[in-house]
């Protein structure tokens, strides 16, 4: 999930995956879910991971986008 500092959700991606090395990546085109490119600025992103047993954890960090 990607948010602005007002707390609005700008992008949301949900996927189920399992990898042998416990790593995961996804592609994102730096656009909001509406398709509009996000402007340069600082955003918040949150990643939530849920195990097969149903235990979940999430982390929130800052994301900087610089457009030229």
């Amino acid at each position: 999930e990607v948010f602005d500092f007002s707390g609005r959700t700008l992008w949301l991606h949900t996927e189920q995956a399992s990898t042998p090395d416990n790593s995961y990546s996804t592609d994102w085109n730096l656009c909001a879910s509406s398709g509009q490119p996000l402007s340069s600025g600082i955003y918040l992103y949150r990643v939530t991971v849920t195990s097969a047993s149903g235990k979940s954890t999430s982390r929130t960090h800052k994301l900087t986008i610089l457009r030229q």
Side-chain angles (χ1 to χ4, degrees), residues 2-6 10 38-45 61-66:
V2 177
F3 305 91
D4 64 14
F5 274 90
S6 297
L10 302 173
L38 296 180
S39 301
S40 291
I42 300 174
Y43 299 87
L44 297 173
Y45 72 91
H61 295 280
K62 291 180 183 176
L63 168 71
T64 302
I65 296 177
L66 296 174

Side-chain angles (χ1 to χ4, degrees), residues 11-18 24-27 48-50:
W11 184 75
L12 174 65
H13 178 76
T14 303
E15 189 171 322
Q16 290 185 345
S18 177
Y24 178 76
S25 66
T26 189
D27 291 327
T48 303
V49 176
T50 304

Side-chain angles (χ1 to χ4, degrees), residues 1 4 8 14 19 31 34 57:
E1 299 167 279
D4 64 14
R8 292 180 296 173
T14 303
T19 61
C31 291
S34 65
T57 187

